[in-house]
mmCIF file of all heavy atoms in Angstrom:
data_model
loop_
_atom_site.group_PDB
_atom_site.id
_atom_site.type_symbol
_atom_site.label_atom_id
_atom_site.label_comp_id
_atom_site.label_asym_id
_atom_site.label_seq_id
_atom_site.Cartn_x
_atom_site.Cartn_y
_atom_site.Cartn_z
ATOM 1 N N LEU L 509 12.287 31.503 2.595
ATOM 2 C CA LEU L 509 10.901 31.364 2.852
ATOM 3 C C LEU L 509 10.296 32.840 2.630
ATOM 4 O O LEU L 509 11.075 33.832 2.695
ATOM 5 C CB LEU L 509 10.563 31.004 4.289
ATOM 6 C CG LEU L 509 11.072 29.678 4.784
ATOM 7 C CD1 LEU L 509 10.786 29.472 6.241
ATOM 8 C CD2 LEU L 509 10.456 28.504 3.874
ATOM 9 N N HIS L 510 9.048 32.873 2.398
ATOM 10 C CA HIS L 510 8.307 34.186 2.305
ATOM 11 C C HIS L 510 7.896 34.665 3.574
ATOM 12 O O HIS L 510 7.431 33.972 4.335
ATOM 13 C CB HIS L 510 7.115 34.121 1.235
ATOM 14 C CG HIS L 510 7.564 33.933 -0.190
ATOM 15 N ND1 HIS L 510 8.087 34.922 -0.907
ATOM 16 C CD2 HIS L 510 7.488 32.781 -0.888
ATOM 17 C CE1 HIS L 510 8.274 34.511 -2.226
ATOM 18 N NE2 HIS L 510 8.038 33.272 -2.117
ATOM 19 N N ASP L 511 8.051 35.952 3.816
ATOM 20 C CA ASP L 511 7.557 36.596 5.063
ATOM 21 C C ASP L 511 5.973 36.584 4.963
ATOM 22 O O ASP L 511 5.465 37.150 4.039
ATOM 23 C CB ASP L 511 8.185 38.028 5.149
ATOM 24 C CG ASP L 511 7.870 38.694 6.451
ATOM 25 O OD1 ASP L 511 6.803 38.357 7.010
ATOM 26 O OD2 ASP L 511 8.520 39.582 6.782
ATOM 27 N N ASP L 512 5.312 36.058 6.029
ATOM 28 C CA ASP L 512 3.816 36.108 5.998
ATOM 29 C C ASP L 512 3.371 37.519 5.876
ATOM 30 O O ASP L 512 2.229 37.650 5.302
ATOM 31 C CB ASP L 512 3.224 35.338 7.214
ATOM 32 C CG ASP L 512 3.547 33.916 7.096
ATOM 33 O OD1 ASP L 512 3.777 33.273 5.913
ATOM 34 O OD2 ASP L 512 3.439 33.178 8.030
ATOM 35 N N ASP L 513 3.900 38.545 6.606
ATOM 36 C CA ASP L 513 3.408 39.836 6.633
ATOM 37 C C ASP L 513 3.647 40.565 5.384
ATOM 38 O O ASP L 513 2.970 41.526 5.036
ATOM 39 C CB ASP L 513 3.953 40.574 7.792
ATOM 40 C CG ASP L 513 3.641 39.983 9.175
ATOM 41 O OD1 ASP L 513 2.508 39.495 9.280
ATOM 42 O OD2 ASP L 513 4.553 40.031 10.065
ATOM 43 N N ASP L 514 4.739 40.202 4.595
ATOM 44 C CA ASP L 514 5.092 40.855 3.361
ATOM 45 C C ASP L 514 5.447 39.726 2.367
ATOM 46 O O ASP L 514 6.696 39.385 2.290
ATOM 47 C CB ASP L 514 6.158 41.823 3.595
ATOM 48 C CG ASP L 514 6.614 42.552 2.251
ATOM 49 O OD1 ASP L 514 5.882 42.354 1.211
ATOM 50 O OD2 ASP L 514 7.491 43.369 2.351
ATOM 51 N N PRO L 515 4.540 39.267 1.517
ATOM 52 C CA PRO L 515 4.798 38.192 0.639
ATOM 53 C C PRO L 515 6.061 38.476 -0.330
ATOM 54 O O PRO L 515 6.623 37.583 -0.986
ATOM 55 C CB PRO L 515 3.671 37.940 -0.133
ATOM 56 C CG PRO L 515 2.586 38.486 0.597
ATOM 57 C CD PRO L 515 3.140 39.635 1.480
ATOM 58 N N GLN L 516 6.273 39.823 -0.722
ATOM 59 C CA GLN L 516 7.326 40.199 -1.516
ATOM 60 C C GLN L 516 8.740 40.033 -0.881
ATOM 61 O O GLN L 516 9.702 39.894 -1.584
ATOM 62 C CB GLN L 516 7.154 41.634 -2.012
ATOM 63 C CG GLN L 516 5.811 41.788 -2.814
ATOM 64 C CD GLN L 516 5.646 40.869 -4.036
ATOM 65 O OE1 GLN L 516 6.669 40.806 -4.865
ATOM 66 N NE2 GLN L 516 4.527 40.202 -4.136
ATOM 67 N N ARG L 517 8.802 39.986 0.365
ATOM 68 C CA ARG L 517 10.041 39.951 1.177
ATOM 69 C C ARG L 517 10.395 38.471 1.312
ATOM 70 O O ARG L 517 9.583 37.747 1.946
ATOM 71 C CB ARG L 517 9.955 40.767 2.498
ATOM 72 C CG ARG L 517 11.178 40.706 3.315
ATOM 73 C CD ARG L 517 11.023 41.517 4.589
ATOM 74 N NE ARG L 517 12.156 41.247 5.489
ATOM 75 C CZ ARG L 517 12.104 40.615 6.558
ATOM 76 N NH1 ARG L 517 11.007 40.104 7.096
ATOM 77 N NH2 ARG L 517 13.213 40.509 7.310
ATOM 78 N N GLN L 518 11.633 38.090 0.942
ATOM 79 C CA GLN L 518 12.115 36.772 1.183
ATOM 80 C C GLN L 518 13.057 36.939 2.297
ATOM 81 O O GLN L 518 13.955 37.776 2.354
ATOM 82 C CB GLN L 518 12.753 36.243 -0.076
ATOM 83 C CG GLN L 518 11.692 35.888 -1.130
ATOM 84 C CD GLN L 518 12.387 35.205 -2.268
ATOM 85 O OE1 GLN L 518 13.548 35.225 -2.535
ATOM 86 N NE2 GLN L 518 11.502 34.623 -3.086
ATOM 87 N N VAL L 519 13.024 35.886 3.234
ATOM 88 C CA VAL L 519 13.840 35.898 4.333
ATOM 89 C C VAL L 519 14.445 34.507 4.478
ATOM 90 O O VAL L 519 13.744 33.477 4.240
ATOM 91 C CB VAL L 519 12.899 36.204 5.670
ATOM 92 C CG1 VAL L 519 13.843 36.135 7.003
ATOM 93 C CG2 VAL L 519 12.255 37.467 5.590
ATOM 94 N N GLY L 520 15.667 34.420 4.918
ATOM 95 C CA GLY L 520 16.364 33.185 5.151
ATOM 96 C C GLY L 520 16.174 32.752 6.523
ATOM 97 O O GLY L 520 16.307 33.571 7.507
ATOM 98 N N TYR L 521 15.895 31.480 6.845
ATOM 99 C CA TYR L 521 15.708 30.934 8.069
ATOM 100 C C TYR L 521 16.467 29.642 8.214
ATOM 101 O O TYR L 521 16.525 28.895 7.379
ATOM 102 C CB TYR L 521 14.202 30.604 8.502
ATOM 103 C CG TYR L 521 13.308 31.869 8.675
ATOM 104 C CD1 TYR L 521 12.627 32.423 7.647
ATOM 105 C CD2 TYR L 521 13.322 32.466 9.844
ATOM 106 C CE1 TYR L 521 11.907 33.491 7.867
ATOM 107 C CE2 TYR L 521 12.600 33.620 10.163
ATOM 108 C CZ TYR L 521 11.839 34.194 9.039
ATOM 109 O OH TYR L 521 11.146 35.292 9.322
ATOM 110 N N PHE L 522 16.977 29.460 9.450
ATOM 111 C CA PHE L 522 17.779 28.213 9.784
ATOM 112 C C PHE L 522 17.073 27.469 10.903
ATOM 113 O O PHE L 522 16.923 28.130 11.967
ATOM 114 C CB PHE L 522 19.125 28.686 10.081
ATOM 115 C CG PHE L 522 20.091 27.482 10.322
ATOM 116 C CD1 PHE L 522 20.607 26.764 9.324
ATOM 117 C CD2 PHE L 522 20.398 27.200 11.603
ATOM 118 C CE1 PHE L 522 21.564 25.807 9.644
ATOM 119 C CE2 PHE L 522 21.212 26.188 11.979
ATOM 120 C CZ PHE L 522 21.826 25.561 10.927
ATOM 121 N N ASN L 523 16.615 26.379 10.726
ATOM 122 C CA ASN L 523 16.099 25.576 11.824
ATOM 123 C C ASN L 523 17.158 24.792 12.540
ATOM 124 O O ASN L 523 17.931 24.107 11.841
ATOM 125 C CB ASN L 523 15.097 24.531 11.271
ATOM 126 C CG ASN L 523 13.783 25.225 10.999
ATOM 127 O OD1 ASN L 523 13.225 26.025 11.632
ATOM 128 N ND2 ASN L 523 13.251 24.888 9.778
ATOM 129 N N LYS L 524 17.159 25.047 13.806
ATOM 130 C CA LYS L 524 18.241 24.247 14.695
ATOM 131 C C LYS L 524 17.614 22.896 14.856
ATOM 132 O O LYS L 524 16.876 22.691 15.767
ATOM 133 C CB LYS L 524 18.507 24.972 15.909
ATOM 134 C CG LYS L 524 19.335 24.366 17.116
ATOM 135 C CD LYS L 524 20.473 23.472 16.507
ATOM 136 C CE LYS L 524 21.155 22.774 17.622
ATOM 137 N NZ LYS L 524 21.031 21.353 17.598
ATOM 138 N N GLY L 525 17.871 21.861 14.039
ATOM 139 C CA GLY L 525 17.277 20.618 14.199
ATOM 140 C C GLY L 525 18.193 19.540 14.724
ATOM 141 O O GLY L 525 19.449 19.500 14.208
ATOM 142 N N ASP L 526 17.777 18.697 15.703
ATOM 143 C CA ASP L 526 18.510 17.736 16.099
ATOM 144 C C ASP L 526 17.857 16.374 15.870
ATOM 145 O O ASP L 526 16.622 16.288 15.926
ATOM 146 C CB ASP L 526 18.848 17.793 17.598
ATOM 147 C CG ASP L 526 19.978 18.848 17.946
ATOM 148 O OD1 ASP L 526 21.019 18.794 17.268
ATOM 149 O OD2 ASP L 526 19.681 19.813 18.734
ATOM 150 N N ILE L 527 18.582 15.302 15.944
ATOM 151 C CA ILE L 527 18.006 13.999 15.773
ATOM 152 C C ILE L 527 17.621 13.387 17.176
ATOM 153 O O ILE L 527 18.583 13.392 17.996
ATOM 154 C CB ILE L 527 18.905 13.071 15.014
ATOM 155 C CG1 ILE L 527 19.091 13.600 13.534
ATOM 156 C CG2 ILE L 527 18.310 11.505 14.932
ATOM 157 C CD1 ILE L 527 20.135 12.896 12.746
ATOM 158 N N TRP L 528 16.432 12.822 17.433
ATOM 159 C CA TRP L 528 16.067 12.232 18.510
ATOM 160 C C TRP L 528 15.371 10.897 18.380
ATOM 161 O O TRP L 528 15.087 10.630 17.167
ATOM 162 C CB TRP L 528 14.974 13.230 19.229
ATOM 163 C CG TRP L 528 15.338 14.423 19.794
ATOM 164 C CD1 TRP L 528 15.824 15.542 19.102
ATOM 165 C CD2 TRP L 528 15.307 14.807 21.118
ATOM 166 N NE1 TRP L 528 16.050 16.605 19.917
ATOM 167 C CE2 TRP L 528 15.801 16.102 21.290
ATOM 168 C CE3 TRP L 528 14.887 14.212 22.308
ATOM 169 C CZ2 TRP L 528 15.949 16.798 22.449
ATOM 170 C CZ3 TRP L 528 15.030 14.839 23.508
ATOM 171 C CH2 TRP L 528 15.473 16.122 23.509
ATOM 172 N N SER L 529 15.351 10.156 19.374
ATOM 173 C CA SER L 529 14.589 8.831 19.246
ATOM 174 C C SER L 529 13.437 8.781 20.336
ATOM 175 O O SER L 529 13.656 9.422 21.428
ATOM 176 C CB SER L 529 15.594 7.638 19.394
ATOM 177 O OG SER L 529 16.004 7.484 20.713
ATOM 178 N N VAL L 530 12.348 8.057 20.172
ATOM 179 C CA VAL L 530 11.383 7.752 21.086
ATOM 180 C C VAL L 530 11.216 6.311 21.080
ATOM 181 O O VAL L 530 11.044 5.674 19.897
ATOM 182 C CB VAL L 530 10.174 8.569 20.834
ATOM 183 C CG1 VAL L 530 9.437 8.343 19.500
ATOM 184 C CG2 VAL L 530 9.172 8.365 22.059
ATOM 185 N N ASN L 531 11.243 5.671 22.170
ATOM 186 C CA ASN L 531 10.883 4.237 22.317
ATOM 187 C C ASN L 531 9.400 4.092 22.363
ATOM 188 O O ASN L 531 8.662 4.788 23.113
ATOM 189 C CB ASN L 531 11.508 3.637 23.786
ATOM 190 C CG ASN L 531 11.225 2.360 23.778
ATOM 191 O OD1 ASN L 531 10.120 1.708 23.787
ATOM 192 N ND2 ASN L 531 12.325 1.456 24.132
ATOM 193 N N ILE L 532 8.849 3.237 21.489
ATOM 194 C CA ILE L 532 7.353 3.179 21.304
ATOM 195 C C ILE L 532 6.690 2.492 22.595
ATOM 196 O O ILE L 532 5.664 3.035 23.022
ATOM 197 C CB ILE L 532 7.013 2.394 20.025
ATOM 198 C CG1 ILE L 532 7.632 3.058 18.873
ATOM 199 C CG2 ILE L 532 5.547 2.158 19.878
ATOM 200 C CD1 ILE L 532 7.189 4.487 18.581
ATOM 201 N N LYS L 533 7.318 1.649 23.213
ATOM 202 C CA LYS L 533 6.741 0.993 24.362
ATOM 203 C C LYS L 533 6.597 1.782 25.558
ATOM 204 O O LYS L 533 5.657 1.864 26.334
ATOM 205 C CB LYS L 533 7.419 -0.332 24.687
ATOM 206 C CG LYS L 533 7.275 -1.415 23.545
ATOM 207 C CD LYS L 533 7.701 -2.642 24.107
ATOM 208 C CE LYS L 533 7.632 -3.818 22.991
ATOM 209 N NZ LYS L 533 6.451 -4.000 22.275
ATOM 210 N N ASP L 534 7.764 2.509 26.003
ATOM 211 C CA ASP L 534 7.654 3.164 27.192
ATOM 212 C C ASP L 534 7.748 4.860 26.996
ATOM 213 O O ASP L 534 7.881 5.585 28.027
ATOM 214 C CB ASP L 534 8.791 2.825 28.146
ATOM 215 C CG ASP L 534 10.121 3.133 27.633
ATOM 216 O OD1 ASP L 534 10.417 3.892 26.711
ATOM 217 O OD2 ASP L 534 11.178 2.596 28.210
ATOM 218 N N THR L 535 7.813 5.212 25.754
ATOM 219 C CA THR L 535 7.921 6.690 25.384
ATOM 220 C C THR L 535 9.052 7.453 26.040
ATOM 221 O O THR L 535 9.041 8.611 26.223
ATOM 222 C CB THR L 535 6.578 7.434 25.710
ATOM 223 O OG1 THR L 535 6.406 7.571 27.077
ATOM 224 C CG2 THR L 535 5.347 6.838 24.995
ATOM 225 N N SER L 536 10.194 6.738 26.135
ATOM 226 C CA SER L 536 11.384 7.302 26.588
ATOM 227 C C SER L 536 12.004 7.959 25.467
ATOM 228 O O SER L 536 12.058 7.548 24.287
ATOM 229 C CB SER L 536 12.364 6.348 27.339
ATOM 230 O OG SER L 536 12.649 5.410 26.407
ATOM 231 N N TYR L 537 12.563 9.222 25.618
ATOM 232 C CA TYR L 537 13.205 10.033 24.639
ATOM 233 C C TYR L 537 14.676 10.057 24.846
ATOM 234 O O TYR L 537 15.170 10.039 25.878
ATOM 235 C CB TYR L 537 12.590 11.433 24.686
ATOM 236 C CG TYR L 537 11.153 11.610 24.467
ATOM 237 C CD1 TYR L 537 10.333 11.538 25.558
ATOM 238 C CD2 TYR L 537 10.580 11.756 23.258
ATOM 239 C CE1 TYR L 537 8.976 11.715 25.359
ATOM 240 C CE2 TYR L 537 9.247 11.792 23.052
ATOM 241 C CZ TYR L 537 8.412 11.750 24.138
ATOM 242 O OH TYR L 537 7.017 11.892 23.916
ATOM 243 N N LEU L 538 15.350 10.175 23.765
ATOM 244 C CA LEU L 538 16.814 10.380 23.710
ATOM 245 C C LEU L 538 17.240 11.210 22.589
ATOM 246 O O LEU L 538 16.901 11.061 21.534
ATOM 247 C CB LEU L 538 17.503 8.957 23.599
ATOM 248 C CG LEU L 538 19.041 8.850 23.627
ATOM 249 C CD1 LEU L 538 19.533 9.423 24.884
ATOM 250 C CD2 LEU L 538 19.581 7.498 23.360
#
Side-chain angles (χ1 to χ4, degrees):
L509 302 174
H510 289 284
D511 184 337
D512 288 340
D513 295 327
D514 181 4
Q516 300 302 313
R517 179 175 172 252
Q518 292 186 341
V519 180
Y521 286 96
F522 180 82
N523 286 313
K524 168 48 180 113
D526 284 308
I527 298 174
W528 288 67
S529 68
V530 59
N531 183 304
I532 300 304
K533 292 196 188 301
D534 66 10
T535 67
S536 58
Y537 299 93
L538 180 62

